[in-house]
């Protein structure tokens, strides 16, 4: 079954739903899927990402091979 057929089946199923709580759960799922991850992370994570962007903009970068050496035990 391809994705288009699956979508059509879901649409057809949704049109038959009468359970308000199930519909609300589906809407919450949709909302969580479209939420901006930036608003979901902590301030320290945001600061770390912003610092990384500033470092990259200033040319403070390490090569991939250097990063692999540092983080090899976690890869």
């Amino acid at each position: 079954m391809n994705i288009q057929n699956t979508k059509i089946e879901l649409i057809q199923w949704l049109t038959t739903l009468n359970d308000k709580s199930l519909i609300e759960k589906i809407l919450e799922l949709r909302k969580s899927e479209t939420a901006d991850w930036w608003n979901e992370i902590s301030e320290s994570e945001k600061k770390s990402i912003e610092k990384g962007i500033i470092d990259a903009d200033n040319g403070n970068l390490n090569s991939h091979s250097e990063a692999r050496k540092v983080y090899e035990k976690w890869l």
Side-chain angles (χ1 to χ4, degrees), residues 27-43:
L27 288 172
E28 283 300 314
L29 176 62
R30 186 180 111 195
K31 183 179 175 183
S32 71
E33 290 294 315
T34 58
D36 187 346
W37 61 269
W38 185 258
N39 297 326
E40 304 296 322
I41 62 175
S42 69
E43 286 303 314

Side-chain angles (χ1 to χ4, degrees), residues 5-58:
N5 288 342
T6 303
K7 289 179 185 180
I8 290 169
E9 282 187 22
L10 282 171
I11 291 167
Q12 290 172 340
W13 174 70
L14 281 170
T15 62
T16 66
L17 285 181
N18 292 318
D19 184 342
K20 186 176 179 180
S21 66
L22 183 55
I23 293 170
E24 288 172 356
K25 287 178 186 178
I26 294 169
L27 288 172
E28 283 300 314
L29 176 62
R30 186 180 111 195
K31 183 179 175 183
S32 71
E33 290 294 315
T34 58
D36 187 346
W37 61 269
W38 185 258
N39 297 326
E40 304 296 322
I41 62 175
S42 69
E43 286 303 314
S44 64
E45 289 169 316
K46 289 177 184 177
K47 287 179 183 177
S48 180
I49 292 169
E50 289 168 346
K51 181 185 179 309
I53 293 170
I54 290 169
D55 283 345
D57 288 345
N58 291 328

